[in-house]
Amino acid sequence: MLLLALTACGGDENAKEQPEGDGPAPVALTIAPEDGAQDVPTQGELAVTAEGGTLTGVTVAGPEGEEVPGALTEEADAWAPDEALANDTEYSVTAVGENAEGDEETSTATFTTVAADATFSSYWNIPDGSEVGVGMELSVTFDTPIQNTAEVGEAVRITTDPPVEVRGHWFGDQRIDFRPEEYWEPGTEVEIGFRLRGVEGADGVFGTLRENVSFTVGRGQVSTVDAAAHTMTVTRDGEEIRTIPITAGAPGNETWNGKMVITEKHKETRMDGATVGFGGEYDIPDVPHAMRLSTSGTFIHGNYWASSGTFGSANVSHGCVGLGDAQGAGDPGTQGAWFYENSMIGDVVEVINSDDDVIAPDNGINGWNMDWAEWGAGQ
């Protein structure tokens, strides 16, 4: 026992006494941009790294204390923000890291982002908390042309339950629509995170919108209008629930073919032909149960002025789909009233066998008429 004790106390004769303070190097923290920086870009500049250790916490806060969300790398040696920063705003950064021995270091910095020369506003078509039909597309429009379409499109973040791929497609430089490959599955919950604030849409022109909205997909209803047979078959969740006699566009004014989405509902509305290129041909102040299918003026609506024998036998409209109805929209027993009460924004009405072209995908919310391979190309 004595020998063991002496041996343990004696140690290795070749070992050198370790100087005081000689241990693991502290973690080196780097914050970009440097402390006091001005006119910092709102994207691509802010980053925090750790060398010789890991980051244990990063906080980036604006003047009101609101924190910028961000994420660590898998190795926890770098952090980056998840979204653009606001323009002309001072941010404070606090980074905490530790080395392999758990020795902690803290670093801080403040910087101010670049001011915007101008801003763009963003508008969308689905109210927060809405229940919509399976054909609804999210359409976002801007009040100024967008040059950096990829960056702006990526700043509209869509998540779904159950998960489904959603792509955006640009129509020109001021509108982007989003949809899945097929109609939404009924019951899908959709969350949209608009993260356009601080995104540079064009040279010196930045977005301002930062908001979360959501919508729910209701039951699945698709109605097929056969213009040649003068009928509409209403299918809900895969079951045919009613066939309705209709009148469609007369020769020379045929109804568009294709898949169209209901975007507005009006129990009564005025329809003046002068607003859609039919000056003087009609002006009806009280069209009942009208639902918009296109920007150019296609509706599916009640019709009280045609004879009852017209529905199911002749096409006499100026391009709309007409259903038998009563003046005043007060008779719930008419086909027009039934279809109105059983339809919601986002339902699909598909027209077939009409002697006209397929409607353009941007004439309303009608992107379902574009192939999935083309949808999203060139964003």
Side-chain angles (χ1 to χ4, degrees):
M1 292 296 294
L2 180 61
L3 177 62
L4 291 173
L6 290 173
T7 302
C9 291
D12 186 345
E13 65 180 2
N14 295 319
K16 297 181 179 180
E17 184 175 343
Q18 184 169 312
E20 287 186 12
D22 187 9
V27 60
L29 303 176
T30 302
I31 297 173
E34 64 184 13
D35 187 36
Q38 301 289 316
D39 296 327
V40 174
T42 55
Q43 292 178 279
E45 185 74 16
L46 174 59
V48 180
T49 57
E51 185 176 354
T54 58
L55 291 165
T56 57
V58 176
T59 302
V60 181
E64 303 300 323
E66 66 279 14
E67 293 190 9
V68 175
L72 289 170
T73 59
E74 187 174 347
E75 297 78 14
D77 60 354
W79 178 96
D82 283 342
E83 61 188 62
L85 305 175
N87 291 95
D88 197 20
T89 300
E90 183 179 81
Y91 286 95
S92 300
V93 185
T94 301
V96 182
E98 60 182 28
N99 63 12
E101 296 297 312
D103 299 325
E104 192 173 87
E105 295 288 332
T106 299
S107 184
T108 62
T110 62
F111 64 90
T112 302
T113 54
V114 65
D117 294 335
T119 60
F120 66 85
S121 296
S122 313
Y123 310 90
W124 66 98
N125 63 321
I126 307 176
D128 186 27
S130 297
E131 182 181 34
V132 299
V134 294
M136 179 52 74
E137 302 168 22
L138 173 67
S139 185
V140 186
T141 57
F142 308 98
D143 65 349
T144 191
I146 301 298
Q147 296 174 356
N148 303 324
T149 54
E151 291 84 352
V152 169
E154 290 167 2
V156 181
R157 303 175 181 180
I158 301 176
T159 57
T160 70
D161 183 18
V164 64
E165 181 186 6
V166 178
R167 294 181 187 173
H169 184 86
W170 283 90
F171 294 108
D173 57 10
Q174 290 184 243
R175 171 180 168 183
I176 181 172
D177 289 5
F178 295 86
R179 69 169 177 90
E181 182 173 6
E182 306 292 342
Y183 298 142
W184 297 100
E185 180 181 336
T188 299
E189 300 285 342
V190 183
E191 300 283 341
I192 306 162
F194 292 107
R195 294 297 181 266
L196 292 156
R197 183 193 64 184
V199 176
E200 193 170 20
D203 217 7
V205 184
F206 292 82
T208 58
L209 177 64
R210 187 183 187 280
E211 189 168 342
N212 296 322
V213 299
S214 64
F215 66 88
T216 302
V217 181
R219 79 289 179 277
Q221 182 164 300
V222 178
S223 302
T224 303
V225 173
D226 188 330
H230 316 295
T231 60
M232 178 172 68
T233 301
V234 183
T235 302
R236 181 177 296 172
D237 296 327
E239 179 184 354
E240 293 184 6
I241 61 173
R242 182 172 287 208
T243 297
I244 299 173
I246 62 95
T247 183
N253 295 317
E254 289 85 356
T255 306
W256 296 108
N257 284 296
K259 301 168 183 175
M260 298 176 241
V261 174
I262 295 174
T263 57
E264 299 174 15
K265 292 182 68 179
H266 306 277
K267 191 168 184 180
E268 281 189 304
T269 191
R270 178 185 177 187
M271 290 189 177
D272 181 357
T275 64
V276 289
F278 295 109
E281 295 191 31
Y282 63 87
D283 186 358
I284 306 169
D286 55 355
V287 177
H289 301 121
M291 292 175 282
R292 181 181 289 276
L293 300 177
S294 79
T295 306
S296 61
T298 309
F299 280 75
I300 184 165
H301 61 76
N303 179 325
Y304 64 79
W305 52 91
S307 65
S308 59
T310 300
F311 305 100
S313 64
N315 290 331
V316 300
S317 83
H318 285 79
C320 292
V321 177
L323 315 179
D325 212 327
Q327 188 171 16
D331 184 352
T334 65
Q335 299 283 19
W338 180 90
F339 188 65
Y340 182 88
E341 293 300 329
N342 283 275
S343 296
M344 67 169 58
I345 301 297
D347 281 349
V348 179
V349 177
E350 182 174 6
V351 178
I352 62 174
N353 297 325
S354 180
D355 190 19
D356 203 347
D357 296 331
V358 173
I359 192 168
D362 59 343
N363 185 2
I365 305 298
N366 298 323
W368 305 104
N369 298 291
M370 183 180 289
D371 290 339
W372 185 240
E374 185 181 359
W375 188 263
Q379 179 172 310

